[in-house]
Amino acid sequence: MILIVDDNQSNLYSLQKLLESKDFQVETANSGEEALGKALKNDYALIILDVQMPDMDGFEVAETLADYSKTKEVPIIFLSAVNTDKKFITQGYASGAKDYVTKPVDPEILLLKVKTFYNLQEQNIAMKKSQQNLELEVKGRRESQVTMKSQIDHFHLMLESLPQIAFTLNESGTVDFVNGKWYEYSDSGQHFPEVHPDDPDIIEEFERCRKKGKALELEMRIKNVISGNYRYHLLRVTPVYEENRIKNWVGTFTDIDDQKKVEKEKDEFLSIASHELKTPLTSIKAYVQLLERKLKLDKESSEAGFVMKVQGQIEKLNTLITDLLDVSKIENGKLKINKKPVNLENLISNAIETILQTHDEQQVKIERHGIKPDILIPLDEIRIEQVLINFLTNAIKYSPNNNQVIVSTFVDKEAEEVRVNVTDFGIGIPDFKQDAVFKKFYRVEESSLQFQGMGIGLFICSEIIKQHHGSVGVSSIVDEGSTFYFTLPLN
């Protein structure tokens, strides 16, 4: 908006019509006092001010406007018919004017000047608003940074108070914070503690999980820089998400060395007991077979049935001892995985055939779904078949009223892995117990009374798959069934 100040009504009228014809919004004032009142009340982009006015001339008005913060930046064009002398023009500029125009006014020149100063003022106002917005944004960011720093400091203080070794990594996997406990096992805040030569490499294992966006959980021995001894620690590294992307990672090393020593003593006992049981069990099996041949019993007789039951129980005991020996090998790091290129589809078919041969085919129905992965994958054929047979056996065992089992396979080329599902329609597992079924000696209470077992089969399966750099899992609904699965990397 433009304010025209002149004590001559005809001048006001003519200038107002001239500017309004060019789409300018115009207000008028008949005196310097009225002009000051309107200038302090409203916002103007330009003031056209007559010099010769009674009571308060244009110079006085301009000097007064220059004293107020609201109006000191508003451009002023002086109009004068009398004072054309250089000293008056100089006085006009000294009063704060941006230009000095003498009457009679050339309309085109006046319009050109008005447009120029009007546009300049509009741009100046826009720049000020942008500057104010920028200052507000900068202030907001500074406040956010202060708040964020306070939160980070609080978080770091929490990590410092932990009894575990605690650290954080940035999005790319570089260590950017460690607590005081870290330096008991590392000389540098940038390098992970030294790992026992027989244990997995931390960086390799973390990179594998980072690429998949998955948490890492690993048991390993790390070296104490003071004593030089290796102690068992449980490493956990968990991603922190922000707007569906990983912002950073938080990790801890928890000392489990004392716990591992107790477990080792127990595992040594199990190993010794298993080996000692293996020898007499083999002899019992041989004598029962010899007895069966000597007696030449009729297959339909009750005696032959008793002998078959004895042999069945011997096989169960043999399987149990074998599992205990596998647990002992896992705990001592002696479970060997011999990888070679194997056709996965043939392996699955062999496992299904083994189950059908050892169960009544009329009662057990195993369906094959999904894409058949007729591809070679580097794996230990005997161990992976052991996993699949365990899953299939459990599917039948825990589905006493429905022996239908579905084996499904999926190939994820983006993740470069193959997934094998074994689905049953049995008793199911409660949600809050599904994460624990792969732990050693864990059994779901609801099934432990009804079904025999020690709860080590799935633990062995999970360890075999881990050594293949795959993953295991389960999804289940109580009274509807379960799906156990494992994944294997294609390469």
Side-chain angles (χ1 to χ4, degrees):
M1 188 180 294
I2 299 173
L3 176 64
I4 305 173
V5 186
D6 200 321
D7 61 330
N8 189 315
Q9 287 295 331
S10 60
N11 288 342
L12 282 178
Y13 181 78
S14 59
L15 285 175
Q16 182 178 1
K17 291 301 178 184
L18 173 65
L19 296 177
E20 287 179 345
S21 68
K22 299 301 180 182
D23 297 326
F24 288 107
Q25 288 184 316
V26 178
E27 281 193 353
T28 62
N30 294 313
S31 65
E33 291 83 354
E34 185 182 358
L36 288 174
K38 288 191 173 183
L40 293 174
K41 183 179 179 181
N42 304 316
D43 293 322
Y44 296 107
L46 178 66
I47 297 175
I48 300 175
L49 183 59
D50 184 33
V51 174
Q52 291 296 116
M53 290 187 295
D55 298 327
M56 193 177 195
D57 63 20
F59 297 139
E60 293 177 284
V61 174
E63 290 171 355
T64 305
L65 291 173
D67 291 335
Y68 293 102
S69 58
K70 177 178 173 65
T71 57
K72 67 179 182 180
E73 299 294 336
V74 180
I76 297 173
I77 297 178
F78 275 131
L79 293 181
S80 177
V82 179
N83 296 321
T84 58
D85 190 271
K86 183 178 179 180
K87 68 177 181 179
F88 292 107
I89 296 175
T90 303
Q91 184 182 356
Y93 284 113
S95 301
K98 298 296 182 184
D99 208 342
Y100 197 103
V101 178
T102 58
K103 298 177 182 179
V105 176
D106 186 324
E108 292 183 0
I109 293 176
L110 180 62
L111 282 174
L112 183 61
K113 290 177 181 288
V114 168
K115 287 180 181 179
T116 301
F117 287 115
Y118 188 90
N119 290 336
L120 284 173
Q121 183 65 4
E122 288 291 306
Q123 292 173 7
N124 187 36
I125 292 172
M127 287 179 63
K128 283 186 176 180
K129 287 183 178 179
S130 298
Q131 184 178 359
Q132 290 173 351
N133 291 335
L134 184 60
E135 288 174 352
L136 287 173
E137 185 177 348
V138 170
K139 182 181 178 182
R141 288 190 178 184
R142 285 176 179 169
E143 290 175 351
S144 298
Q145 288 176 347
V146 170
T147 303
M148 187 180 298
K149 185 179 184 304
S150 176
Q151 292 174 344
I152 292 173
D153 290 343
H154 180 68
F155 177 65
H156 286 172
L157 185 62
M158 289 174 59
L159 294 183
E160 284 289 356
S161 65
L162 290 177
Q164 296 104 323
I165 300 170
F167 60 95
T168 61
L169 305 100
N170 60 22
E171 183 183 356
S172 61
T174 303
V175 178
D176 55 13
F177 171 80
V178 296
N179 69 351
K181 292 284 289 184
W182 173 279
Y183 294 102
E184 295 180 16
Y185 289 85
S186 177
D187 293 323
S188 169
Q190 300 297 318
H191 299 100
F192 280 104
E194 182 181 339
V195 180
H196 193 280
D198 295 336
D199 292 343
D201 183 84
I202 296 176
I203 296 176
E204 288 181 6
E205 296 297 328
F206 172 68
E207 279 300 310
R208 187 176 291 111
C209 292
R210 188 178 73 85
K211 290 177 180 178
K212 295 181 179 180
K214 295 181 178 179
L216 170 65
E217 185 170 313
L218 201 62
E219 290 183 3
M220 59 180 56
R221 288 162 289 181
I222 57 177
K223 187 177 182 180
N224 187 295
V225 294
I226 300 172
S227 66
N229 296 327
Y230 288 95
R231 290 184 65 86
Y232 267 104
H233 282 73
L234 174 62
L235 169 63
R236 287 193 179 100
V237 186
T238 306
V240 179
Y241 284 89
E242 185 178 84
E243 296 180 354
N244 297 324
R245 79 175 181 86
I246 295 177
K247 180 184 177 183
N248 56 6
W249 301 74
V250 178
T252 57
F253 284 94
T254 304
D255 192 322
I256 56 171
D257 198 71
D258 294 335
Q259 175 186 335
K260 294 295 288 187
K261 287 177 181 176
V262 173
E263 289 184 1
K264 185 179 180 180
E265 292 175 358
K266 179 183 65 179
D267 292 333
E268 286 176 353
F269 168 76
L270 289 175
S271 178
I272 294 170
S274 301
H275 280 289
E276 293 299 321
L277 288 171
K278 195 81 172 174
T279 302
L281 183 65
T282 303
S283 299
I284 293 171
K285 184 176 181 180
Y287 280 120
V288 169
Q289 290 174 345
L290 184 61
L291 181 63
E292 183 184 22
R293 291 172 190 168
K294 284 284 186 181
L295 294 177
K296 296 180 181 179
L297 298 172
D298 184 0
K299 292 183 179 180
E300 301 299 325
S301 66
S302 59
E303 290 83 358
F306 296 149
V307 171
M308 286 184 64
K309 288 182 178 180
V310 170
Q311 289 177 330
Q313 294 301 317
I314 290 173
E315 284 303 319
K316 287 182 179 180
L317 186 57
N318 185 56
T319 301
L320 176 60
I321 293 172
T322 301
D323 285 346
L324 288 173
L325 286 172
D326 279 345
V327 170
S328 177
K329 290 177 182 178
I330 290 169
E331 295 299 329
N332 292 310
K334 295 179 180 179
L335 183 68
K336 300 300 181 183
I337 299 296
N338 301 310
K339 292 183 183 180
K340 63 179 181 179
V342 175
N343 186 296
L344 183 60
E345 182 55 33
N346 291 344
L347 185 153
I348 294 172
S349 298
N350 291 338
I352 293 174
E353 185 64 29
T354 299
I355 292 298
L356 292 176
Q357 288 177 358
T358 54
H359 293 77
D360 189 344
E361 293 188 31
Q362 301 298 321
Q363 295 182 352
V364 177
K365 294 181 181 179
I366 301 178
E367 298 180 14
R368 185 73 177 82
H369 291 183
I371 299 173
K372 294 184 178 181
D374 191 17
I375 51 178
L376 295 177
I377 297 177
L379 50 82
D380 187 321
E381 183 174 8
I382 294 175
R383 289 298 183 182
I384 296 300
E385 187 171 328
Q386 177 184 348
V387 172
L388 192 53
I389 287 176
N390 186 286
F391 281 11
L392 289 168
T393 303
N394 283 349
I396 296 169
K397 178 180 177 180
Y398 294 104
S399 306
N401 300 322
N402 187 336
N403 284 335
Q404 181 185 10
V405 178
I406 299 174
V407 178
S408 310
T409 46
F410 310 90
V411 176
D412 188 340
K413 293 184 179 179
E414 184 177 344
E416 296 185 345
E417 65 181 19
V418 60
R419 172 167 165 158
V420 181
N421 289 359
V422 176
T423 303
D424 64 60
F425 302 90
I427 62 174
I429 304 169
D431 290 343
F432 62 94
K433 296 183 179 179
Q434 292 176 18
D435 291 338
V437 294
F438 293 98
K439 293 182 179 179
K440 186 169 53 176
F441 300 117
Y442 180 83
R443 300 204 66 212
V444 179
E445 290 86 343
E446 288 79 355
S447 63
S448 59
L449 298 177
Q450 185 179 356
F451 303 98
Q452 295 179 349
M454 288 187 65
I456 57 177
L458 290 177
F459 166 73
I460 295 171
C461 292
S462 68
E463 291 298 319
I464 291 172
I465 297 301
K466 282 181 184 177
Q467 293 203 33
H468 281 80
H469 300 299
S471 60
V472 294
V474 60
S475 60
S476 181
I477 299 175
V478 176
D479 295 330
E480 292 188 20
S482 306
T483 296
F484 282 84
Y485 68 86
F486 64 86
T487 66
L488 294 169
L490 295 175
N491 186 357

